[in-house]
Amino acid sequence: MDNWERRRLLGMLALAAVVPTRVAAAEAGEVLVISTLYSRHRQVPAYDLAALRRLIDAVKPDVLVLDVTPTELRTRKVWPGKVEYTEVIFPYLDAKGLVAYGSEPDEDLFKELTTAGGESYQAFKAQNPAGAKALDALKQSAYQALASRWQSAADVNSDKTDRLVAALREIEEGLVGGNAGPVQQQWDRHHALRLSDAVKAHPGRRVLMLVGMESRYRVLQALQQGGDVRPVESEAWLRRAGL
């Protein structure tokens, strides 16, 4: 290699070091199912609200499927704990003018399910107050432990996180009993069905579902069982994107 070629190679390496890597959007027709943390976004520096915004910007969705009811989507009013909607998702949606769907049950079914589930939790607390207190402590400790290890959005959306969440849900639903398990399962199937509807209505478009962390693993299971929608593997996609 002569001096001119050596200088040219060194110049190219120097340029590569200072030019930032572009994060490509998801490909046309890809479907991503991504967890959100509600108010925990404010307690997890690795996946705070700014990180969520960077994630959505990187995906560049054509269609959004959101963890809200149709009425909440229309009015832009949500349960106060869903801080990511008022601070990130709704502003993004309005700025981009994207098509969006609410994946939670509409008002009648919402009331039916929340009433049935709420009655089971009230009965559990009344009949087993020590168990209810221990369950709350277990969940808080588990999520604090997870958050202490999360270094990125990819960690939050990892198979490891999903497995732990699934185990916690199994313990919780088994302890509470009654309608707790069936209601949550029906709720998560509803998320999956609305995502399938959105994908079918927009063939070839890039669809991003944002759903609470405790629901994501069951949504993915339902989609796998249905077979008509195949989301990309989120953890690997996010790691490739540097997120």
Side-chain angles (χ1 to χ4, degrees), residues 2-230:
D2 60 27
N3 287 336
W4 182 86
E5 290 176 327
R6 186 177 293 109
R7 287 196 300 271
R8 186 166 73 100
L9 177 59
L10 290 173
M12 291 173 64
L13 291 173
L15 181 63
V18 299
V19 175
T21 301
R22 287 185 176 273
V23 176
E27 295 182 5
E30 282 192 332
V31 178
L32 282 84
V33 179
I34 298 293
S35 291
T36 64
L37 303 181
Y38 304 160
S39 60
R40 291 193 185 102
H41 279 291
R42 289 180 171 154
Q43 302 156 14
V44 180
Y47 195 33
D48 59 11
L49 295 171
L52 177 63
R53 173 60 193 246
R54 289 193 297 271
L55 186 156
I56 299 172
D57 281 334
V59 175
K60 294 180 173 58
D62 300 311
V63 179
L64 286 166
V65 180
L66 304 173
D67 183 10
V68 296
T69 69
T71 297
E72 288 173 332
L73 177 59
R74 185 177 67 254
T75 63
R76 302 295 196 262
K77 295 179 180 179
V78 296
W79 174 64
K82 292 186 175 181
V83 297
E84 67 270 47
Y85 281 89
T86 55
E87 297 194 27
V88 174
I89 299 169
F90 287 158
Y92 182 92
L93 180 60
D94 292 337
K96 300 294 184 180
L98 300 179
V99 174
Y101 295 84
S103 63
E104 283 192 341
D106 61 18
E107 278 56 44
D108 290 341
L109 182 57
F110 184 100
K111 183 177 180 180
E112 176 186 336
L113 293 178
T114 55
T115 298
E119 289 172 350
S120 294
Y121 276 88
Q122 289 172 4
F124 170 61
K125 290 179 180 179
Q127 296 166 12
N128 188 359
K133 185 176 180 179
L135 177 61
D136 287 341
L138 171 64
K139 291 175 63 178
Q140 289 181 22
S141 296
Y143 286 123
Q144 287 173 0
L146 276 172
S148 72
R149 294 296 303 271
W150 285 332
Q151 299 297 314
S152 65
D155 291 338
V156 178
N157 288 276
S158 68
D159 181 62
K160 182 182 295 184
T161 294
D162 283 345
R163 291 199 309 271
L164 180 53
V165 171
L168 288 171
R169 290 298 317 173
E170 183 178 350
I171 292 169
E172 179 172 348
E173 291 165 10
L175 279 172
V176 175
N179 290 314
V183 163
Q184 189 63 48
Q185 291 164 18
Q186 185 175 352
W187 194 280
D188 295 336
R189 283 197 301 271
H190 195 280
H191 283 309
L193 288 170
R194 296 291 76 75
L195 175 58
S196 296
D197 290 343
V199 172
K200 291 174 184 175
H202 302 276
R205 309 303 289 176
R206 188 179 308 122
V207 181
L208 172 61
M209 167 177 256
L210 297 170
V211 69
M213 182 180 68
E214 292 190 347
S215 290
R216 190 182 97 107
Y217 77 96
R218 276 206 182 116
V219 171
L220 293 173
Q221 288 175 352
L223 294 173
Q224 186 176 31
Q225 292 166 3
D228 56 338
V229 175
R230 295 176 179 268

